[in-house]
Amino acid sequence: MAGGATGARYRRLAGDLREAIASGAYGAGGRLPSEEELAQQYGVSRGTVRQALAVLRANGLVTSRRGTRRVVLGTARTQSFFELLSFTRWARALGEEPGGHTIDIKSCAATPLECEQLGLAPGSQIYRVLRLRTLSRVPVMIERTIYPEHIGAVIADLEPDAISHTEPLAEQGMVFADAEHTVDLVYADGEDARLLGCDEGAPLMRERRRATDPAGTPLEWSEDRYLPGTVSFTVHNSVASTALSRRRG
């Protein structure tokens, strides 16, 4: 409970500071108050302030220098295809420490919907993988991924605490070339609540993703559920292109 309360405090503080930055309270290129001033203003510890500032840094909103007042950058970076596809690559690119633990993995017959999503014949075997993902050792997301049998067998051979699943698949010659993302809201079930430390029925952000190879053959179908206040997704579109970005905080 204490860890959850601390996490809630730094996420709330990060949200308050993010809103202040967005409103122009500090201006692009301006400086935030010192850690000590922020701790006094919001009635939290300096450790909580540092965690909140790390979230803003990961979002690309402030500089990452410690020991000095952070400078407001004003804009958030976007991610490459592989950073958006891979939680591990995205986290590392932002200077975060990614983690993962496989809770359950099993081979079973695919449902009709799973066969449709993975382009499989009825009754095909698949692997279902349930995994908890962390940032700096704090749980932020539950990953439920469905793999065709030949790909799932590679995942089944990995250690439960393997940080990345995408990288070993790439080493085995799997080429991820395209992905469809759908983002919406769901409510935590009992399993979500137990693994993420939230209340059952609490709102979670859901990202559903299907990734394919260059020939359009599905490689995975995944449903990721994030605690609120941990990441956000931003879409930038124009007549020339459309880009989806995942952001910390």
Side-chain angles (χ1 to χ4, degrees):
M1 293 296 292
T6 300
R9 282 196 294 270
Y10 88 77
R11 286 196 291 269
R12 282 198 298 269
L13 176 55
D16 289 345
L17 292 173
R18 187 167 53 245
E19 289 179 8
I21 290 171
S23 70
Y26 303 107
R31 294 182 180 274
L32 291 180
S34 68
E35 290 181 1
E36 184 176 358
E37 290 171 329
L38 288 171
Q40 292 177 351
Q41 179 180 346
Y42 288 94
V44 296
S45 69
R46 290 188 65 171
T48 297
V49 171
R50 291 192 188 102
Q51 287 181 295
L53 292 175
V55 171
L56 300 183
R57 180 203 68 207
N59 267 313
L61 296 176
V62 300
T63 55
S64 59
R65 293 193 300 270
R66 279 194 177 181
T68 61
R69 292 168 60 194
R70 302 323 197 275
V71 176
V72 176
L73 300 176
T75 58
R77 66 186 298 277
T78 58
Q79 290 87 54
S80 69
F81 169 79
F82 290 104
E83 287 177 19
L84 188 58
L85 179 71
S86 169
F87 180 92
T88 298
R89 291 192 187 186
W90 165 73
R92 285 173 174 164
L94 297 177
E96 291 278 356
E97 179 189 347
H101 179 72
T102 298
I103 306 297
D104 186 46
I105 180 169
K106 59 185 176 183
S107 174
C108 54
T111 66
L113 177 59
E114 290 165 344
C115 287
E116 178 185 349
Q117 291 293 331
L118 293 179
L120 301 175
S124 294
Q125 290 293 115
I126 59 166
Y127 277 83
R128 292 195 185 112
V129 180
L130 173 65
R131 198 167 171 226
L132 179 66
R133 305 309 307 269
T134 62
L135 287 175
S136 300
R137 296 180 294 278
V138 177
V140 297
M141 184 259 279
I142 294 175
E143 204 173 65
R144 293 179 174 91
T145 309
I146 310 297
Y147 294 103
E149 187 174 27
H150 69 289
I151 298 178
V154 176
I155 302 300
D157 285 339
L158 300 176
E159 292 296 324
D161 291 328
I163 294 176
S164 175
H165 285 181
T166 305
E167 291 173 359
L169 291 177
E171 292 169 0
Q172 292 289 326
M174 309 297 175
V175 179
F176 291 83
D178 188 69
E180 297 175 349
H181 303 262
T182 301
V183 180
D184 60 5
L185 175 73
V186 293
Y187 297 97
D189 60 23
E191 187 172 60
D192 297 331
R194 177 174 58 84
L195 294 175
L196 290 174
C198 62
D199 293 331
E200 189 168 350
L204 302 174
M205 186 180 69
R206 176 173 66 173
E207 180 216 356
R208 287 173 288 175
R209 178 183 65 257
R210 187 177 69 156
T212 58
D213 68 11
T217 302
L219 300 176
E220 67 171 19
W221 185 40
S222 184
E223 178 183 305
D224 302 340
R225 297 186 175 195
Y226 292 87
L227 281 172
T230 55
V231 304
S232 63
F233 286 84
T234 299
V235 176
H236 172 78
N237 65 339
S238 69
V239 294
S241 65
T242 296
L244 175 69
S245 299
R246 173 171 47 196
R247 299 172 59 190
R248 179 73 165 97

